[in-house]
Amino acid sequence: MHVFVTGASGYIGGTVAAHLLQAGHLVTGLIRDPARAEELARLGIQPVVGTLDDTAVLAEQAHRADAVVNAASSDHRGAVETLIAALAGSGKALIHTSGSSIVAVGTQGEASEEIFNEDVLDAGSAWEPDHPIRKARVAIDRLVLGAAEQGVRSAVLCDSLIYGPGRGLGRDSVLIAALVRQARSGGVVRHVGTGRNIWSNVHIDDVAALYLLALEKSPPGTFYFVENGEESFAAMTGAIARSLGLPGPQPWDPASPDNVWDPQFAGHALGSNSRVRTTRTRDLLGWSPRHRSVTDWITGTDLVVRDETKHPTEEARS
């Protein structure tokens, strides 16, 4: 296939692109920074310089490609509308990236027993998110799913906390990298509150493998959670402390004057629960993830955070 990937220089999009290339597909990648286009080309990805606001560029690339993976942003409605309009009636695949923060339960670091299944976005579901940003993201997810009625083989992959090294230009995940940056800068590993809050998680290589399966055989209009296990932030930060040889983990209060993290990011991400379950990835796509333990990965890696400039809320995935 010829696949157009938005966010081809990012963590998710870059790794998906690398796996597509390894599988023998042709990949065209959208990149914002012209200075980095050559880096993308050296990886074997045909660079297209542009942004999600460049409707003509998006439409042209969607027309030219056999399938589209939108991994640049979960929240850019205009780009999704452009891609759907360009693909309408074609039967081509549109794989859109969302994040399991849509079902996050804010508890300031305490555990929640609430677990979400893939029927939350099925037609007739009464579930609605409780935050304006999450409402907007879910509205985009539903727009993508509804594109199946317009002749688009659309699917939403709703990724949980992703760990592992990226295989393209973007190397670092969001939440793990945020914890590591804080630990290195402060000299002590911290979590929000007690750290008992739990997130489902999945390895980036398993994520990319699932994107390829979805491109090949996902039924139109299907929503998937992407997870293979779950862990508390206390366990993850404990593994970070052991890996880095730093004290901790210790609790951090988002309301304290010591703003280790942006309070909103800490409350909605690092201090929340996001517990999800998938059956469709296995039953419909035959997904068989290989990695099962985020804490084993943390303790077995050097935890080098390579992209120090990215703000943790910029990535689409979480």
Side-chain angles (χ1 to χ4, degrees):
M1 290 187 292
H2 172 196
V3 184
F4 174 50
V5 179
T6 70
S9 62
Y11 178 58
I12 298 173
T15 303
V16 171
H19 278 248
L20 284 166
L21 290 171
Q22 188 175 22
H25 300 296
L26 173 67
V27 181
T28 301
L30 186 72
I31 185 166
R32 290 178 298 179
D33 185 357
R36 303 198 74 191
E38 187 176 338
E39 296 179 62
L40 211 59
R42 283 199 294 267
L43 297 177
I45 301 166
Q46 297 182 3
V48 175
V49 177
T51 72
L52 294 179
D53 293 316
D54 293 328
T55 56
V57 172
L58 294 182
E60 178 186 2
Q61 296 303 318
H63 282 304
R64 292 181 56 213
D66 299 312
V68 176
V69 172
N70 182 33
S73 173
S74 301
D75 304 307
H76 198 297
R77 187 181 181 99
V80 169
E81 290 173 341
T82 298
L83 293 171
I84 290 173
L87 296 173
S90 68
K92 295 178 181 179
L94 170 61
I95 310 300
H96 175 70
T97 304
S98 186
S100 69
S101 64
I102 61 170
V103 297
V105 178
T107 60
Q108 299 298 310
E110 295 301 325
S112 169
E113 298 302 317
E114 195 164 7
I115 297 174
F116 296 86
N117 297 309
E118 289 160 320
D119 59 1
V120 292
L121 289 189
D122 284 355
S125 170
W127 175 82
E128 290 291 339
D130 61 357
H131 187 278
I133 294 176
R134 294 171 185 153
K135 287 180 183 292
R137 179 175 289 190
V138 167
I140 294 172
D141 292 345
R142 287 177 171 146
L143 182 67
V144 173
L145 298 175
E149 302 298 323
Q150 302 179 49
V152 181
R153 191 162 61 84
S154 60
V156 173
L157 296 187
C158 192
D159 301 324
S160 58
L161 186 156
I162 306 177
Y163 63 94
R167 305 303 179 182
L169 299 184
R171 297 287 294 170
D172 301 316
S173 66
V174 178
L175 298 187
I176 298 296
L179 294 169
V180 172
R181 289 190 185 106
Q182 175 278 311
R184 288 192 179 280
S185 65
V188 60
V189 182
R190 295 189 182 276
H191 47 61
V192 174
T194 65
R196 296 192 182 99
N197 55 306
I198 300 167
W199 271 62
S200 297
N201 56 71
V202 62
H203 193 281
I204 184 63
D205 286 337
D206 290 328
V207 171
L210 181 59
Y211 274 70
L212 268 64
L213 288 170
L215 282 168
E216 293 169 4
K217 55 186 179 180
S218 176
T222 310
F223 176 85
Y224 304 90
F225 279 126
V226 185
E227 59 83 19
N228 191 42
E230 62 180 19
E231 192 55 270
S232 71
F233 272 75
M236 288 187 283
T237 52
I240 289 171
R242 291 191 297 275
S243 180
L244 296 179
L246 292 175
Q250 297 179 8
W252 177 77
D253 179 4
S256 74
D258 177 20
N259 287 323
V260 178
W261 297 288
D262 173 79
Q264 184 174 9
F265 173 66
H268 290 292
L270 299 178
S272 65
N273 294 261
S274 180
R275 306 180 68 185
V276 299
R277 297 291 185 271
T278 181
T279 57
R280 294 172 182 172
T281 57
R282 294 167 173 83
D283 294 346
L284 298 180
L285 304 180
W287 185 51
S288 182
R290 297 184 298 112
H291 303 271
R292 297 200 61 87
S293 174
V294 61
T295 52
D296 284 353
W297 175 78
I298 290 170
T299 54
T301 187
D302 60 8
L303 290 182
V304 174
V305 177
R306 295 166 178 84
D307 184 3
E308 296 292 344
T309 61
K310 178 181 279 296
H311 189 277
T313 58
E314 289 180 7
E315 187 83 38
R317 336 252 23 69
S318 296

